[in-house]
Each structure stands twice: as C-alpha cells, then as structure tokens.
Amino acid sequence: MYKQFSDFYDQLVFDIDYKKYSNNIKEILFSNSIHSGNILEIGAGTGNLTRELAKLNNFNILAIDNSVEMMKHAIEKISEFENVDYLYHDMFEFNYKMYGFDAVISLLDVMNYVTEIEDLEYLFNSIYESLNDGGVFIFDINSRYKLLEVLGNNIYVYEKDNIFYTWENTIDEEYDDLVYFDLNFFYKEEDGKYNRIYEEQVERYHSIENIINILTNAGFTNIEYCDEDGGEYIENKTQRILFSAKK
C-alpha cells in the first residue's frame, strides 16, 4: 500500500484541513493540561499533519509510518523542525514499552485499516502502556455513514493536473462492515504517455460502542468523541469521528 502512489498522494488530499485537525488535537491536549512533552504520531504518512504538530514548539514528536516511500516525502517537509524525528516502523512491531509519551496521535483512517478486532485490542493496549500517567490517546475513524454509504458500493472518477484515477469500492458480501478499495491511477509522463499504478486497500467500520469497549478494557478513562469536521455532536451524516481517551 502507498508505494508509487506516495509520489502524488499530496495532490489527492488537497481537501483535508490539516491545520484544523492540528488545532483539534491542541485543544484536547490543553484541556487535559498537557502543554509540553513527548508525542507519538502513528501512521504519519507524507507528514502533512506532522508538520502542523511540529509548530507546537513545546512538544517533541516521534512520527512513525510503515511506508519508506511516504517517509521520504515527509522528511522533506519536516527537515526544518528540530523537534521531530521520523521513524520507519510498523505500528504492530513498535516497542511501545521503551517510551513514555504524553500523547499518542493517529488520524486519517489508520484505525479503519486495522480490520481485525484482536489487532485493534493489541494496539490499544500497547498504546496505553506507552503513555505516561495522565497522557491521552487521540485518534479518529471513518464513520459508518462515510464508509458504507458515501464510499460503499460506489465508483469515483477524478482528474487533477496530470493524474487521472478511478476509485471502485465494494462492500464485503459476508461482512458488511468491510469495504474494499480498488484504485487505478494513471499519471502523465513528460513524453505524454500515461503510466498505470494499481492499489488495493481495505477498511473496516468500527462502531463507537466497540471502540469504547476496547478502550475501557485497555484501562482508558475519560473517553470522549465528537464530529471531527463539524463540531461537538455526532450527526447522521458525520464522516469522521474524533476520539480522545486518558490514562
């Protein structure tokens, strides 16, 4: 996932307001009396959110991602910041016990890509162990509405600059909370010819009830959630749900 795609990923996420998402995180941190310390960002991708978080000068950030290609783009964006380290690492193999974080952050579908409940439980437990007392875990998920109705069994076709791509989605026939994405990208070379890249991805919808249950079993308290884009309350057409939980 995200191999050659990383070269033009940023051109396709132009509608994501990373500054707003960073401000959401800052508000949660400050409301939990966390004004400085160490942050772990899981699934940092090409570093768009990392760059915004790096502007919080009182924090040191360790950003991890399991794509070397994405990491190369991220390093270019964060090279000016001395308070950020970027590490190529799989989130399931990361040694969480070695660190003491004041916050762990993971946004933009990362948890939806975790399709096995057992893996999500392992991850939440590991994150809990990595946090200092009073630390917070901040993450989001795609809502049921977005994943199963907006994306669902739908086909999208986009064209932007020198890129044309189709996005074909299929809900699993047996498990109606799983959605498969078939992505075909065609990008134009200098000679006018188009190259094709194919990516296959899968996401799972995790209900709010299941998320709260897993967080509680891991030991988290003060579990809160809201519409990440629209405000305080979850509505029928909420697309992203932002969670926070405290150790």
Side-chain angles (χ1 to χ4, degrees), residues 39-45 47-51 53 61-65 86 101 103-107:
I39 293 175
L40 171 66
E41 183 189 1
I42 299 174
N48 293 317
L49 180 63
T50 313
R51 181 177 175 82
L53 293 174
I61 301 166
L62 175 60
I64 66 171
D65 198 274
Y86 208 102
F101 295 106
V104 176
I105 296 165
S106 188
L107 298 193

Side-chain angles (χ1 to χ4, degrees), residues 67-114:
S67 168
V68 172
E69 292 79 10
M70 296 290 239
M71 182 174 66
K72 290 177 181 176
H73 294 282
I75 289 173
E76 295 177 1
K77 297 174 187 174
I78 63 175
S79 59
E80 67 183 274
F81 296 98
E82 296 182 356
N83 60 332
V84 181
D85 289 310
Y86 208 102
L87 180 65
Y88 167 65
H89 221 298
D90 185 279
M91 62 182 175
F92 292 107
E93 298 177 1
F94 184 73
N95 190 348
Y96 293 91
K97 293 181 180 180
M98 284 185 61
Y99 299 87
F101 295 106
D102 299 287
V104 176
I105 296 165
S106 188
L107 298 193
L108 300 170
D109 299 20
V110 173
M111 296 306 158
N112 291 105
Y113 284 120
V114 182

Side-chain angles (χ1 to χ4, degrees), residues 159-201:
E159 184 175 7
K160 181 175 174 58
D161 299 330
N162 63 333
I163 302 169
F164 174 85
Y165 71 101
T166 62
W167 183 359
E168 301 178 60
N169 307 323
T170 307
I171 299 175
D172 190 280
E173 293 183 359
E174 183 177 0
Y175 302 101
D176 63 1
D177 57 356
L178 280 176
V179 182
Y180 297 91
F181 306 143
D182 291 300
L183 307 171
N184 280 282
F185 299 89
F186 301 88
Y187 64 97
K188 194 175 184 179
E189 297 282 14
E190 292 182 359
D191 60 5
K193 295 181 180 179
Y194 279 84
N195 282 329
R196 175 178 178 262
I197 298 173
Y198 174 74
E199 290 276 347
E200 183 179 38
Q201 303 175 12

Side-chain angles (χ1 to χ4, degrees), residues 52 56 135 140 157:
E52 293 298 326
L56 299 173
D140 67 9
V157 178

Side-chain angles (χ1 to χ4, degrees), residues 34 38-40 96-97 99-105 124-138 220 245-247:
I34 301 173
N38 298 313
I39 293 175
L40 171 66
Y96 293 91
K97 293 181 180 180
Y99 299 87
F101 295 106
D102 299 287
V104 176
I105 296 165
F124 282 15
N125 276 284
S126 298
I127 290 169
Y128 182 86
E129 293 180 355
S130 76
L131 285 167
N132 296 323
D133 289 343
V136 294
F137 176 29
I138 304 168
F220 286 101
K246 190 170 186 176
K247 178 173 179 177

